[in-house]
Amino acid sequence: MDIGMPRKIACGFLAIAVFMTGDGFELTFLSRYLVDLGFQATQASLVFTLYGLMAALSGWSSGVLAEMFGAKRVMLAGGVSWVLLHLVFVGVALPLGFFPLIAAVYAIRGLSYPLFIYSFVVLIAQSVPTARLASAMGWFWTSYSIGIGVLGAYLPSIVVPAVGEYRTLWISLAWASAGTLICFTLVPASPQSAAASLDRSAKLRELARGATILAENRQIALAAVVRVICNLTLYGFPVIMPLYLTSADGGGGGWIALQDWMRIWAVMFTVTVFGNVFWGIIGDRFGWMRQMRWYGCWFCAIGTLAFYYIPQFYGGNVPLMLAAATLLGLGFTAFVPMGAIFPAIAPEHRGAAISAHNLASGLTTFFGPGIATVLLPFVGFGGVCWAYAGLYLAGSLITVFIRPPQPGFTPQGRRLPAGTPAGSGLAAR
């Protein structure tokens, strides 16, 4: 059975999973840990917001940088810099307890992981035919989910009670280092791209196109907006839910223990492991945009509100929270064709298109906690959740106007009859 796994770059998926396990270790407890150290909830949220801003800038440049200098080289640069900056964050910034240093070092570390993972997206795009790209991206996001969500959330739920948050942060270093080593030894070098032969000024123009393409190509701009929206809760909830669910301070209810929250979030990511592959295959066969419109946006909107209202009406009902986590995981993974849509819309500027995708991916890590930072003091946890849900519903409407040239489908997203010549119905916009 063909499950869409590109064998040539299979070790790259392993590197992503192992590296992102290290990167995701602190995701479910760092905001609560910072508050326990004496900082305010808005300060904890600000740390994640600044981190997301740096990730957005790094993600924007990673696609073109990978095209110019080779995906593997840029992956290694990201991995090594993550390890060094994490050493400073855990070994210096946290022990000093100086908030500006904590925020600055953690934000700068946000430059590293996008270079590692999104450069691999370029390698996927260089190695996989367009008709199979969503399936390959499904495996990429599955690897990502296994790392940042399943292992990255489940393991700390065991380790934190045993050794505490601070020592757990040191353990993450071993995982990120191992992922970098796998990349160095087992990931193949990138094929030579046209961008690699450009002179310096041309390379700078190509790098800038990763942002200017948003103004030049309306379809890319709309897709970027949806890409920002699709993961708002994925990055916003790890900031606010530990405070809302596990603490009785600042408007939280203290319904469940921190370890229960970690396991609920780990279950959500476990769902994404299977959902990414499932939706990648379904999207290639039945249409990218309709899948995101009806399943991605609506599942995320409903799941987001469920996380807020279930504790309000049912208290610490973990089974119901697990059901909400399952729905949210299915919603997140229904967006898996996003990685295929950007290069399909602008195949003549594939690196710039992927950079636009990565910029939007980084911006969602900024806006997810950023929305919470801005709104939390005024509207509380409920208002933040409604803001997320409203944006998901707006994203559902925006998808109507995005029409990528998907092989086997019309620009409107309708499947072409069997035997239709390749390219039929893929009218230029």
Side-chain angles (χ1 to χ4, degrees), residues 108 144 156 165 215 247 272 318 336 368 414:
I108 296 170
Y144 176 89
E165 290 90 343
S247 173
T272 68
V318 173
V336 73
R414 298 184 179 89

Side-chain angles (χ1 to χ4, degrees), residues 32-380:
R32 170 69 184 271
Y33 179 55
L34 291 174
V35 171
D36 290 344
L37 290 177
F39 299 110
Q40 300 297 315
T42 51
Q43 288 180 300
S45 181
L46 179 62
V47 169
F48 283 88
T49 302
L50 295 174
Y51 176 90
L53 179 61
M54 294 297 102
L57 295 174
S58 179
W60 161 61
S61 63
S62 60
V64 173
L65 289 175
E67 285 266 350
M68 292 178 182
F69 303 108
K72 182 173 180 175
R73 289 181 181 177
V74 180
M75 288 178 71
L76 290 173
V80 172
S81 63
W82 191 101
V83 169
L84 296 176
L85 288 164
H86 190 72
L87 282 170
V88 176
F89 177 67
V90 181
V92 179
L94 286 177
L96 288 177
F98 184 51
F99 180 77
L101 182 62
I102 290 172
V105 174
Y106 194 71
I108 296 170
R109 205 197 76 181
L111 295 169
S112 301
Y113 93 86
L115 293 177
F116 192 88
I117 67 170
Y118 294 133
S119 295
F120 186 63
V121 171
V122 173
L123 186 58
I124 293 173
Q126 292 172 336
S127 307
V128 178
T130 301
R132 305 284 302 280
L133 199 50
S135 298
M137 288 303 303
W139 281 106
F140 168 78
W141 288 114
T142 289
S143 303
Y144 176 89
S145 296
I146 289 173
I148 197 173
V150 180
L151 297 175
Y154 182 71
L155 291 179
S157 74
I158 299 172
V159 176
V160 168
V163 303
E165 290 90 343
Y166 183 70
R167 289 186 178 91
T168 301
L169 289 170
W170 280 106
I171 296 173
S172 65
L173 187 66
W175 286 88
S177 299
T180 304
L181 183 61
I182 292 170
C183 174
F184 177 71
T185 56
L186 299 177
V187 173
S190 306
Q192 184 75 9
S193 67
S197 60
L198 299 176
D199 59 31
R200 179 175 298 180
S201 61
K203 287 180 177 180
L204 290 174
R205 287 194 299 271
E206 189 65 19
L207 178 62
R209 186 173 281 119
T212 60
I213 195 172
L214 294 169
E216 298 167 356
N217 191 317
R218 177 174 173 268
Q219 291 283 295
I220 290 286
L222 292 175
V225 171
V226 176
R227 182 64 185 89
V228 170
I229 291 171
C230 73
N231 282 159
L232 288 174
T233 307
L234 182 67
Y235 293 102
F237 268 11
V239 178
I240 65 172
M241 282 298 150
L243 307 176
Y244 174 62
L245 295 174
T246 72
S247 173
D249 299 326
W255 293 284
I256 62 175
L258 181 63
Q259 291 82 3
D260 288 328
W261 149 248
M262 289 179 177
R263 287 164 185 156
I264 289 168
W265 203 238
V267 167
M268 187 282 296
F269 268 107
T270 301
V271 172
T272 68
V273 170
F274 304 100
N276 281 319
V277 177
F278 171 78
W279 288 120
I281 295 172
I282 294 299
D284 280 341
R285 294 181 179 178
F286 298 104
W288 296 336
M289 298 312 305
R290 289 185 176 183
Q291 171 179 299
M292 292 191 292
R293 181 178 311 136
W294 299 115
Y295 296 100
C297 292
W298 283 87
F299 279 13
C300 284
I302 296 169
T304 296
L305 294 177
F307 260 83
Y308 177 74
Y309 283 107
I310 286 173
Q312 294 286 333
F313 290 102
Y314 301 100
N317 190 316
V318 173
L320 284 179
M321 294 297 292
L322 291 174
T326 299
L327 184 65
L328 204 54
L330 290 172
F332 290 146
T333 52
F335 288 105
V336 73
M338 268 294 174
I341 286 170
F342 281 79
I345 291 174
E348 70 282 7
H349 296 294
R350 184 176 56 189
I354 293 174
S355 281
H357 167 270
N358 297 345
L359 173 62
S361 299
L363 285 174
T364 198
T365 68
F366 168 72
F367 281 110
I371 289 170
T373 301
V374 173
L375 296 183
L376 195 58
F378 303 102
V379 299

